[in-house]
Amino acid sequence: MDFINFYFLPGIVLGSIYALGAIGVSLVFGILRFANFSHGELMLIGAYITYSLLHFTGLHPLAVLPIAMIFTGVVALGIDHVFYRPFRTSKATIVIVASFGVALMARSAVQIIWGVDPVSYSPGQIQKPIVLFDSLRIFSKHIWIVSCAIVLMLTIHVILTYTKTGKAMRAMSDSTELARLTGIETEKIVRATWLLGAALAASAGVFLAWDTHLHTMMGFYMLLPMFAAAILGGIGQPYGAMVGGLVIGLAEELSSYPWIGGEPLLPPAYKGGVAFAVMVMMLIWRPSGLFRGRVF
Amino acid sequence: MPVLELNNVSGGYGEVDILHGVSLQIARGELVVVIGPNGAGKSTAMKAVFGLLRLSGGTINLDGEDITGMEPAQVVRKGVCYVPQTNNVFPTLSVEENLEMGAYIREDDFRPRLQEIYQIFPPLREKRKQKVGFLSGGQRQMVAMGKALMLEPRILLLDEPTAGLSPIYRNQIFDIVKEINDSGIPILMVEQNAKQSLAVADRGYVLVDGQNRTDGKGLDLLNDPEIAEMFLGG
Amino acid sequence: MDSSQAYGYFLYFVSLMTMGGIYAIMSLGLNIQWGFTGLFNVGIAGFFAIGAYVAALLTTAESAYHLGGFGLPVAVGLIAAMAVTGVISWLVGLLCIRLRSDYLAIATIGIGEIFRLILKNEIWATNGARGISKIPLPFETLAEPWNKICFMLLVLGIVTLLYFMIERARLAPWGRLMTAIRENEHSARAAGKNVERFRIEAFIFGSVLMGLAGGLTAHYMKFIGPGATEPLTTTFLVWVMLIAGGSGNNRGAILGAFLMWAIWSFSEVLTGRLPPELAIKAAYFRIFLIGLLLQVVLQRYAGGILPERRLASVIPDHGTSK
Ligand SMILES: Nc1ncnc2c1ncn2[C@@H]1O[C@H](COP(=O)(O)OP(=O)(O)OP(=O)(O)O)[C@@H](O)[C@H]1O
Ligand SMILES: [Mg+2]
C-alpha cells in the first residue's frame, strides 16, 4: 500500500503535470519548429498570476485557473509577436537563442514583480488525505489535479481531431509550405498554437504550485522533464507527449522506491536526473519517440 | 484573354536568377504541358505564379488581373490551385482530412464536393479514414490532386503528377487529368513523360535553362525532329 | 583622487581584465561550437563547473570536508580539468551530435542539471553547498598586487595563444569544413566528409576551453561552490558576449567578452550602491536588460560588432538572413 500511496499516486499527479507542459512543447516544436526554451517560464507566469489572483479574490485555485490560462496565452502571443515573429523565415537555431533569452527575461521579470522567496497557495494549511478501503490515502487536491488534467487533455484531443483549426495545426506540423499553398493562414495557426500551449503550460504551473509550492526556478526545473516527455512521445505528437509526461512523472517517483532491499533504488535527491536518463536512453534506442514523431 | 499569363518572368531563390524571361499562356479550357530537361526551371516557373519566388522582372496575370508577387494564401483565394512536385500531401492526416484541408478557404458546405472527388478517385473513398502516409505513391498523387480540386479551381497547376508512378497508375492519372480538363478546368502541367503528355495536350512549351525554347500545338511538338531528339529518345 | 583610491581602481582594472579574459576563453570556446559549427550548447555552466571542481580537488591540500588533498601543481590541475571536460563532452557528443541542434541543447541542459545534483548531494566529495575553499592561487608567493598582475598576464597570455591557435584552425581546411557543415550539411556529407566526427571534434574543443576557464576561475577565486553552476550568469553571459561581439569571428568573441564583462561588472557596482531591498531587484533587472540586449542584437545587428568574415572561396555566399 505504501507503494501506491507514496510512489504511484504522486507519480500519476506529477506525470499529469508534465504531460500538460509537454503537449505545448510538442505543439510548438511541431508547428513553429524550434525547441522553446521559454516554455517553463510560461508555466511560471501562469502560476504567479494565479497566486496574485488568489491573493486579491480569496477564491479557490481552480476558480481563477481559467483567467490565468487566458492571461498566459495573451502573454505568449505578445512574446511571439515581439521576439519570435521576426525570425519566422530564419534558421531555427536563431529562434532557440532568442527563446533562451526570452526565458531569462521572463524569469527575471517574475523575480522583479513577485520577489524570489518561495510562496504557497495555501500557507499554513495542512491537508488531510481521504482514506479509502482503510489504507488507500488520497489527497483531494490530487484528485482535482488529475481530473482537471484529463479534462484538459480531452479538450485538446477534441480540438485537434474535430475542429478546422486543430486539423490545420496538424497539417502545418506536417508541412508549413504546403499549408501555405493550401490557403491556410499560417499566422493564425501559429497564434492558436501559442494560445493552447501557453494555456496548458499555465495549468501545469498552477497544479504544480498547488501541489507543492511556488518558486521562481520552477520553470527552469520543469524544462528538462517536459522536453524529455516530448521526445519520449515523439516530437510533434501531442498524444505522445501525454504518454511521455506520465512515463517521466512515474519514473521519477518510482525511481526512489526500494525495489531491491530496503534502500531506495535511487536517492530521492537524484529524482531530477531520471528524466534526463530516460531521455538519453530514448535518444539512443529510438530517437523518433514512442509515437514516431519527427527526428531533425 | 488567357486565364493565366506569365510575361517575361525572371527570378530565383537566392541572389541568382533561375528564370530568365519565361512566358506562358493558358487559355480558357486548355490543357498546356511544359517540358524541359532536369533543372530547366519548370517547377520554378510554377512557384513564381504562387508567390514562392523572388521575382526580378516580368508580370503574372490571372484573367487580366495582375497577381505578380501575391502571397500564396491570396493566390489560392483567387482560385489558382497547385499540386507541387514533391511534398504535396499531409502524411499524418487521413485522406478525408487532406481533402478537407483542400477546402480550407471554402466558407460553404464542402461535403457535396467531397462526394464528387470520391467519384473521380474511387480508391480514395475506400481509404478515406487512412493516414495518407501509408498509401501508395499513386494513391497519394490522387489525394494531392483531389485536395487541389476541392476548390473547383479557375486553373489547376500540376507539377509532374506521374513522376515515379507505375505505368498503370500513370495512365490512370493521365486519364483523370484529361477528364478534369474536359470538365472545363484549364490545366498547366509540367511533365517528364513528354510523349504521352504532348499527345493529350492542346499546346506545349519547351523550357531550357530558364528560358522558352519553343512552343506550339501538342502534336506539332511531338512531330518536331529537334524536340524528338531532345526528349523523346530520338 | 589620492593614491590609495587610484590603487583601488588599478586593482579593479586588473580583476576586470582577468575575469574578462576568462570569459573570453569561454566565448572563444562557444565560438568554435556555435560560431563555426552551429552547435547549440546551453550547458556552458556545466562544463565550466566540471573544470573548476576537477582543478580544485586536484590542487587543494588535504581537507576533512571534501575529496582530494592531492596538492598537485596548478598546471596539472588545469590540464586534468580540460581532459575531464573533454571526455564528458565527447560522451555527450556521441549521443546527440547526429540529431538536430535542439536535442544537443536539451542534452547539455541535462548534463548541467545532473552535475548540479551531484555537487549538491555528494557532500563527501564536494563539501556540498559550502563548496571548496583554499584553492591555491598561482604566484601566491608574490606580494600584492604582483600576484594578481601575474595571474592576469597568465590569463591574457592564454587568450592570446588560443586566439592564434583557433584563428589558424579556422583558416585551415578543418575550419573551412566546419563552416561548410554549418552552411550546408548535405553537400558536406555528399562530398564524403564524416560530418559527425568533425562536429564532435568542434564540440569537444569548445567544451575543453570552458573547462579550462572553470579551472582558472577556481584558482583565481580560491573558492568554488555549486553557485558557480548557476546557469544564468555563466551560460547566458557567454552567449550574449559571443552574439554581441560577432559570432563566427574570433576577435569579435574576445571583444564581446571584455565589453560585456565590463558592462556587467560596472552595472553591478552601480546597483550595489542602492539600498539592499532595491539592490536585489536591480540584480534581476540587470539580467532582464542583458536579455533584452541579446534580442536587440539578434534582430537588428545579427552579425554583432565584428561580423564574421566569410571565406568566399570555399562556401558560396547565399546571403545571410537579415
Ligand atoms: N528551393 C530552392 N532553392 C534554391 N535553388 C533551387 C530551389 N529549387 C530549385 N532550385 C534550383 O533551381 C533550378 C531549377 O530547378 P527546378 O526545380 O525549377 O527544375 P525543374 O525544371 O523542375 O527540374 P526537374 O525536372 O528535376 O523537376 C535548379 O538548378 C535547382 O537547383
Ligand atoms: Mg521540377
Side-chain angles (χ1 to χ4, degrees), chain C residues 307-322:
Chain C
E308 177 177 12
R309 287 159 300 161
R310 300 296 185 101
L311 302 164
S313 59
V314 183
I315 323 113
D317 195 346
H318 287 297
T320 40
S321 51
K322 55 173 170 68

Side-chain angles (χ1 to χ4, degrees), chain B residues 121-137:
Chain B
F121 304 100
L124 297 189
R125 187 194 301 274
E126 255 169 72
K127 309 244 159 159
R128 53 185 224 280
K129 293 285 170 215
Q130 275 196 27
K131 281 195 180 169
V132 173
F134 297 128
L135 299 186
S136 72

Side-chain angles (χ1 to χ4, degrees), chain B residues 111-220:
Chain B
R111 273 168 299 185
R113 183 65 182 165
L114 193 62
Q115 296 310 318
E116 286 170 33
I117 299 290
Y118 286 147
Q119 304 268 248
I120 306 176
F121 304 100
L124 297 189
R125 187 194 301 274
E126 255 169 72
K127 309 244 159 159
R128 53 185 224 280
K129 293 285 170 215
Q130 275 196 27
K131 281 195 180 169
V132 173
F134 297 128
L135 299 186
S136 72
Q139 289 169 340
R140 269 195 222 207
Q141 196 60 46
M142 290 183 185
V143 174
M145 288 172 65
K147 174 175 158 295
L149 287 170
M150 284 301 288
L151 289 182
E152 302 172 55
R154 261 154 86 176
I155 180 166
L156 182 62
L157 311 186
L158 299 174
D159 196 347
E160 304 203 17
T162 68
L165 299 189
S166 67
I168 306 170
Y169 269 125
R170 197 193 304 158
N171 293 337
Q172 221 173 332
I173 297 281
F174 269 123
D175 289 346
I176 292 169
V177 167
K178 196 78 193 105
E179 198 180 312
I180 296 168
N181 182 238
D182 288 343
S183 77
I185 298 176
I187 295 179
L188 174 65
M189 173 165 74
V190 171
E191 255 303 325
Q192 287 285 352
N193 298 297
K195 224 178 232 172
Q196 212 170 352
S197 58
L198 284 176
V200 296
D202 294 311
R203 286 188 309 111
Y205 286 88
V206 180
L207 289 193
V208 178
D209 289 338
Q211 281 172 316
N212 287 52
R213 179 66 170 266
T214 42
D215 56 289
K217 289 231 160 53
L219 292 175
D220 291 350

Side-chain angles (χ1 to χ4, degrees), chain A:
Chain A
M1 229 45 209
D2 274 1
F3 174 73
I4 304 246
N5 287 335
F6 299 121
Y7 299 93
F8 186 73
L9 290 179
I12 295 285
V13 173
L14 191 61
S16 319
I17 293 171
Y18 287 164
L20 290 174
I23 296 169
V25 168
S26 208
L27 282 177
V28 170
F29 206 135
I31 290 164
L32 287 116
R33 293 191 162 62
F34 72 96
N36 178 20
F37 280 87
S38 62
H39 204 75
E41 267 41 63
L42 292 175
M43 294 179 59
L44 195 65
I45 291 169
Y48 269 97
I49 283 296
T50 303
Y51 174 72
S52 286
L53 288 172
L54 292 180
H55 187 77
F56 289 122
T57 61
L59 291 169
H60 191 265
L62 289 180
V64 296
L65 178 62
I67 305 174
M69 287 167 75
I70 293 168
F71 183 89
T72 312
V74 173
V75 170
L77 287 185
I79 289 176
D80 177 65
H81 189 80
V82 180
F83 297 115
Y84 301 146
R85 201 183 147 109
F87 301 111
R88 249 356 152 233
T89 53
S90 334
K91 281 207 228 155
T93 37
I94 302 285
V95 201
I96 311 174
V97 179
S99 83
F100 184 44
V102 167
L104 272 133
M105 290 170 69
R107 190 197 312 162
S108 41
V110 167
Q111 288 165 332
I112 294 167
I113 299 171
W114 283 283
V116 285
D117 297 327
V119 292
S120 165
Y121 281 174
S122 48
Q125 288 173 28
I126 296 177
Q127 259 211 338
K128 276 210 205 83
I130 305 162
V131 181
L132 296 171
F133 313 118
D134 289 338
S135 54
L136 190 63
R137 299 149 65 87
I138 300 184
F139 289 92
S140 69
K141 68 179 175 188
H142 285 171
I143 298 177
W144 277 115
I145 289 174
V146 174
S147 356
C148 288
I150 292 172
V151 169
L152 285 170
M153 285 188 239
L154 282 176
T155 313
I156 288 293
H157 169 71
V158 168
I159 290 175
L160 289 178
T161 327
Y162 299 108
T163 69
K164 193 166 159 184
T165 304
K167 288 178 202 174
M169 283 170 70
R170 280 157 55 216
M172 198 172 154
S173 179
D174 272 359
S175 165
T176 308
E177 169 145 317
L178 186 61
R180 284 175 65 211
L181 294 177
T182 309
I184 296 172
E185 303 105 321
T186 48
E187 279 303 314
K188 196 180 116 188
I189 304 303
V190 165
R191 287 196 293 274
T193 306
W194 280 118
L195 276 178
L196 279 184
L200 291 178
S203 69
V206 170
F207 293 156
L208 188 63
W210 187 21
D211 188 28
T212 56
H213 59 270
L214 183 51
H215 57 96
T216 55
M217 288 302 284
M218 182 176 93
F220 179 73
Y221 292 150
M222 285 292 286
L223 206 53
L224 199 54
M226 286 193 302
F227 273 120
I231 289 177
L232 187 63
I235 286 293
Q237 301 282 339
Y239 302 110
M242 296 177 194
V243 176
L246 270 181
V247 172
I248 299 282
L250 275 173
E252 282 192 8
E253 294 296 338
L254 298 188
S255 68
S256 46
Y257 183 72
W259 294 98
I260 311 158
E263 287 292 299
L265 187 65
L266 190 77
Y270 283 105
K271 254 187 218 174
V274 172
F276 182 66
V278 174
M279 184 177 90
V280 164
M281 284 189 284
M282 201 63 196
L283 286 179
I284 295 173
W285 173 58
R286 188 161 153 174
S288 57
L290 293 172
F291 284 60
R292 290 255 176 253
R294 250 199 316 266
V295 183
F296 293 94

